[in-house]
Amino acid sequence: MQKTLRNLGVFSTALLSIFFINAVYVSDVSVQKNTHETYNIKALKIPNGITFAGEKVPVERFDIRERMDRELLVNTYWQSNGLLLIKRANKYFPIIEPLLKKYGIPDDFKYLAVAESGLQNNSSPAGASGFWHFLRSSAKEYGLEVNRNVDERYNLELATKVAAEYLKKSKERFGSWTLAAAAYNAGNARISKRLKTQQVDDYYDLLLNSETSRYVFRIVALKEILSNPKNYGFEFEKEDLYTLPKTRTVKVDTAIANIASFAKKFDTNYKELKLHNPWLRENKLNNKSRKLYYIKIPIK
């Protein structure tokens, strides 16, 4: 009996040893990383006192905090896009900032242009174009010329002026820059209807579609990251940033039969002239009304 118990004890000890060895092995395997050992994805701390256009973002509320956290995470860890935005901001903010100040719009709205277009003259699936993504109808309503030959939505200075006019009207209507930003995405009529239906007067109290619900938070996240890039892991030197080449302006109040030939007269070429004047949409300028246009010529 004692021998049997002794053998049983030895057997039990062996089983326990095998169990613990396997447990340690499984534990070690479970912490092995599929990524490089130095690669870590870190949770972000939401800054205290975060604002948009001088208006507080109430991140102490659980839903607001989660929405803010989402946009910070998405825009921080989309690293290639973030670095491109930082580079482009150095190129285009010097144009946008003084214009917003001139028209009485808070400086934070330059990040709305970042959210809309990534500071590129591109188009949305809905056909909104330029840095500020105006629809054709809205652009024409505010006095921009939009046709196959000339599309002033692609003229950064003129489009910024129109964006400022739209935002000021929205601010006057809603009494809030935050709601004005939301209305830039959803439209004044839609925001007004939602406020009335839901009986609230604040963007952060509204239940909206997914895009508009994220819109202001994305702008604020871009502001935070582009204002403090090194806090979010973006490393670069000054020479890595994009800069705007110098240009001079030529006034034109006649038609241009061939823009490639026109460019040669100023010791440049078609590509260079179009890069500086993307609002010229064809290889000619019709100008039947003899309108005065300002064409930028690169200085070499």
Side-chain angles (χ1 to χ4, degrees), residues 39-44 71-80 82 225 232 234:
Y39 181 74
N40 294 296
I41 300 173
K42 182 182 177 182
L44 303 175
E71 300 308 318
L72 279 173
L73 284 168
V74 168
N75 289 283
T76 296
Y77 289 111
W78 189 5
Q79 296 98 328
S80 58
I225 295 166
Y232 293 89
F234 292 97

Side-chain angles (χ1 to χ4, degrees), residues 51-104:
T51 63
F52 173 70
E55 299 172 3
K56 180 185 176 184
V57 180
V59 292
E60 67 277 3
R61 291 162 49 178
F62 84 92
D63 63 313
I64 304 302
R65 191 170 192 82
E66 288 182 12
R67 288 155 72 187
M68 189 72 253
D69 186 52
R70 174 183 182 178
E71 300 308 318
L72 279 173
L73 284 168
V74 168
N75 289 283
T76 296
Y77 289 111
W78 189 5
Q79 296 98 328
S80 58
N81 185 66
L83 194 52
L84 283 169
L85 294 179
I86 292 165
K87 288 173 178 253
R88 292 183 198 132
N90 190 71
K91 183 178 183 179
Y92 293 111
F93 277 1
I95 298 174
I96 297 171
E97 289 168 345
L99 290 172
L100 292 178
K101 184 176 181 180
K102 177 181 176 181
Y103 301 127

Side-chain angles (χ1 to χ4, degrees), residues 260 262-270 272-273 297-298 300:
F262 176 84
K264 284 186 174 181
K265 294 178 182 178
F266 296 95
D267 193 30
T268 187
N269 58 45
Y270 180 83
E272 291 291 332
L273 192 129
I297 307 294
K300 296 188 177 180

Side-chain angles (χ1 to χ4, degrees), residues 52 71 75-76 78 80-97 100 106-124 129-134 156 160 163 167 181 184-185 211 214-227 234:
F52 173 70
E71 300 308 318
N75 289 283
T76 296
W78 189 5
S80 58
N81 185 66
L83 194 52
L84 283 169
L85 294 179
I86 292 165
K87 288 173 178 253
R88 292 183 198 132
N90 190 71
K91 183 178 183 179
Y92 293 111
F93 277 1
I95 298 174
I96 297 171
E97 289 168 345
L100 292 178
D107 188 68
D108 281 358
F109 277 93
K110 65 192 179 190
Y111 300 105
L112 185 149
V114 180
E116 283 288 338
S117 65
L119 298 178
Q120 297 181 97
N121 272 310
N122 54 28
S123 294
S124 73
S129 299
F131 271 51
W132 294 93
H133 272 193
F134 278 106
L156 179 54
T160 301
L167 290 165
Y184 195 92
N185 176 258
E211 182 182 344
R214 295 183 63 182
Y215 189 69
V216 172
F217 292 95
R218 185 177 181 215
I219 295 170
V220 175
L222 290 168
K223 170 192 170 183
E224 173 62 22
I225 295 166
L226 269 64
S227 299
F234 292 97

Side-chain angles (χ1 to χ4, degrees), residues 7-66:
N7 289 339
L8 184 60
V10 171
F11 181 71
S12 299
T13 302
L15 282 177
L16 285 171
S17 298
I18 292 170
F19 173 79
F20 283 118
I21 288 169
N22 286 336
V24 170
Y25 174 74
V26 170
S27 175
D28 286 342
V29 169
S30 69
V31 298
Q32 287 182 352
K33 297 174 72 172
N34 286 330
T35 58
H36 189 275
E37 61 182 10
T38 62
Y39 181 74
N40 294 296
I41 300 173
K42 182 182 177 182
L44 303 175
K45 302 298 182 186
I46 297 176
N48 293 323
I50 198 163
T51 63
F52 173 70
E55 299 172 3
K56 180 185 176 184
V57 180
V59 292
E60 67 277 3
R61 291 162 49 178
F62 84 92
D63 63 313
I64 304 302
R65 191 170 192 82
E66 288 182 12

Side-chain angles (χ1 to χ4, degrees), residues 128-182:
S129 299
F131 271 51
W132 294 93
H133 272 193
F134 278 106
L135 291 169
R136 176 183 293 265
S137 57
S138 300
K140 287 185 172 182
E141 180 184 344
Y142 279 83
L144 293 180
E145 183 179 354
V146 181
N147 53 57
R148 291 179 62 183
N149 186 237
V150 169
D151 192 338
E152 291 180 330
R153 292 178 295 176
Y154 295 98
N155 184 314
L156 179 54
E157 289 84 355
L158 293 179
T160 301
K161 181 177 184 293
V162 168
E165 290 175 5
Y166 185 94
L167 290 165
K168 285 180 82 171
K169 286 185 178 180
S170 297
K171 170 63 162 58
E172 290 169 5
R173 181 169 183 169
F174 300 116
S176 159
W177 286 117
T178 304
L179 279 170

